[in-house]
């Protein structure tokens, strides 16, 4: 049984790693059967098709790591200890943790619109089984990819790729007062150096995207854990407006999907080439 989808280039030529932890859509039958929600409601938590938007990065010498398990089943962008006692027997109360309090711990209690996933509680054993089967292997592979990049290039640039509901942007503004197409999160400068951020931002802007920074999404657990600029580990969360490329209600690709995919392909190529070139120049 595959635990994640890892796509590797024929040769890694740059330190950029693409990760898509919320695009998984392999729903266990027992999980769907036990849920009080329909399959379409369960899928509302997905960052649907994000791994497809970045599917061509192997051609530019970068790996792509994507989840298979859906976010409603186990959330890979949470701490392993973010267990919700309201749905997991024996879990300790997580004080001062807004993610757990809102039902969005490592084993989620709700999907979008606060809809409860299941009635009653699950055993601690079931929760730990989900974590051991999908969560732990994903993060072990992330660490391996980061370690390899640092060993080969002296640095690692992790781009954590997500999508956001269009209604989450109602009050969001990019510079110039425009509504953003993409939000880049670097935890207000804590997870990456400014020059690394600038490369990513410029590549996206050059493809016509309106880019905001940190508001309303500054970066989640993966950004916080793996973004350590002092160790030459840089992490930027990329949030893409779902309304640009999909029908959000039907969870289907829209007629604009290929255009957005093409633009992201060009941006990804420029990002990979920029860091690959910088590494080559530094080595000369």
């Amino acid at each position: 049984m595959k635990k994640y989808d890892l796509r590797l280039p024929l040769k890694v030529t740059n330190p950029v790693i693409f990760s898509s932890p919320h695009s998984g859509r392999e729903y266990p039958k027992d999980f769907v059967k036990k849920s009080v929600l329909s399959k379409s409601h369960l899928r509302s938590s997905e960052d649907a098709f994000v791994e497809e938007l970045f599917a061509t990065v192997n051609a530019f010498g970068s790996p792509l790591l994507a989840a298979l398990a859906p976010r409603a089943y186990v959330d890979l962008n949470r701490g392993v200890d973010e267990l919700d006692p309201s749905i997991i027997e024996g879990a300790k109360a997580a004080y001062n943790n807004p993610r757990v309090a809102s039902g969005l711990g490592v084993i989620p209690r709700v999907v979008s619109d606060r809809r409860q996933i299941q009635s009653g509680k699950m055993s601690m054993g079931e929760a730990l089984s989900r974590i051991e089967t999908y969560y732990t292997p994903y993060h072990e592979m992330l660490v391996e990819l980061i370690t390899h990049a640092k060993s080969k290039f002296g640095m690692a640039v992790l781009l954590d790729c997500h999508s956001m509901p269009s209604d989450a942007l109602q009050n969001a503004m990019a510079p110039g007062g425009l509504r953003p197409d993409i939000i880049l999160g670097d935890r207000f400068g804590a997870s990456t150096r400014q020059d690394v951020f600038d490369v990513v931002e410029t590549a996206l802007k050059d493809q016509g995207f309106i880019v905001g920074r940190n508001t309303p999404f500054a970066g989640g657990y993966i950004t916080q854990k793996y973004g350590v600029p002092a160790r030459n580990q840089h992490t930027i969360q990329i949030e893409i407006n779902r309304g640009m490329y999909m029908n959000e209600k039907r969870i289907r690709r829209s007629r604009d999907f290929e255009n957005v995919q093409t633009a992201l392909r060009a941006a990804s190529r420029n990002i990979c080439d920029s860091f690959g070139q910088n590494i080559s120049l530094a080595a000369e």
Side-chain angles (χ1 to χ4, degrees):
M1 178 180 67
K2 290 182 66 176
K3 300 176 180 180
Y4 48 73
D5 181 14
L6 176 63
R7 308 177 194 182
L8 294 171
L10 293 176
K11 181 180 180 181
V12 176
T13 59
N14 63 79
V16 184
I17 301 155
F18 292 80
S19 168
S20 179
H22 283 166
S23 57
R25 50 183 177 271
E26 293 188 1
Y27 288 82
K29 291 181 179 179
D30 287 348
F31 171 66
V32 176
K33 186 177 180 180
K34 290 179 182 178
S35 175
V36 298
L37 299 176
S38 67
K39 181 79 172 287
S40 61
H41 283 153
L42 288 173
R43 292 198 66 194
S44 66
S45 282
E46 279 181 30
D47 288 348
F49 315 121
V50 164
E51 87 287 4
E52 293 181 22
L53 291 174
F54 292 94
T56 60
V57 300
N58 288 168
F60 315 134
S62 285
L64 170 64
L65 178 64
L68 293 177
R71 181 185 186 183
Y73 187 72
V74 57
D75 193 333
L76 306 181
N77 196 25
R78 296 290 182 265
V80 70
D81 59 344
E82 293 187 85
L83 299 170
D84 187 344
S86 67
I87 59 164
I88 301 171
E89 293 177 355
K92 296 180 179 180
Y95 298 106
N96 300 318
N97 188 313
R99 292 189 289 256
V100 173
S102 63
L104 297 172
V106 65
I107 306 295
R109 171 166 36 95
V110 300
V111 293
S112 60
D113 295 336
R114 308 290 183 186
R115 288 172 291 200
Q116 188 102 358
I117 294 172
Q118 69 176 56
S119 60
K121 292 188 177 185
M122 71 180 70
S123 68
M124 178 64 76
E126 181 180 348
L128 294 180
S129 176
R130 295 186 191 185
I131 290 168
E132 291 168 5
T133 302
Y134 293 105
Y135 180 101
T136 300
Y138 193 92
H139 282 270
E140 287 177 345
M141 180 50 63
L142 266 186
V143 170
E144 184 175 331
L145 293 171
I146 290 169
T147 301
H148 179 265
K150 289 174 66 177
S151 175
K152 186 171 184 178
F153 303 107
M155 69 181 301
V157 179
L158 174 60
L159 299 183
D160 197 44
C161 305
H162 298 259
S163 66
M164 54 189 170
S166 56
D167 60 13
L169 296 168
Q170 289 179 354
N171 299 315
M173 292 293 175
L178 299 174
R179 184 170 295 181
D181 301 316
I182 292 175
I183 302 290
L184 296 181
D186 66 350
R187 301 193 66 82
F188 301 95
S191 68
T192 189
R193 283 199 319 257
Q194 183 63 46
D195 60 318
V196 174
F197 183 92
D198 289 345
V199 169
V200 177
E201 181 184 47
T202 299
L204 291 166
K205 285 184 173 180
D206 284 350
Q207 297 305 315
F209 292 113
I210 301 169
V211 181
R213 184 174 187 175
N214 288 317
T215 303
F217 302 106
Y221 173 79
I222 287 175
T223 310
Q224 181 179 16
K225 179 175 178 62
Y226 298 110
V228 190
R231 299 179 187 172
N232 278 329
Q233 289 181 204
H234 306 276
T235 305
I236 299 172
Q237 180 175 280
I238 302 177
E239 290 275 3
I240 304 167
N241 181 357
R242 293 175 189 166
M244 288 198 302
Y245 71 88
M246 64 179 281
N247 181 314
E248 295 177 78
K249 290 184 178 180
R250 296 185 176 183
I251 316 181
R252 294 179 181 174
R253 301 166 195 81
S254 69
R255 65 181 67 183
D256 294 319
F257 182 88
E258 290 187 5
N259 291 334
V260 174
Q261 185 184 49
T262 298
L264 287 171
R265 174 187 172 91
S268 298
R269 187 208 304 262
N270 289 339
I271 291 167
C272 295
D273 287 353
S274 293
F275 286 109
Q277 182 180 31
N278 289 339
I279 293 295
S280 298
L281 291 174
E284 291 178 356

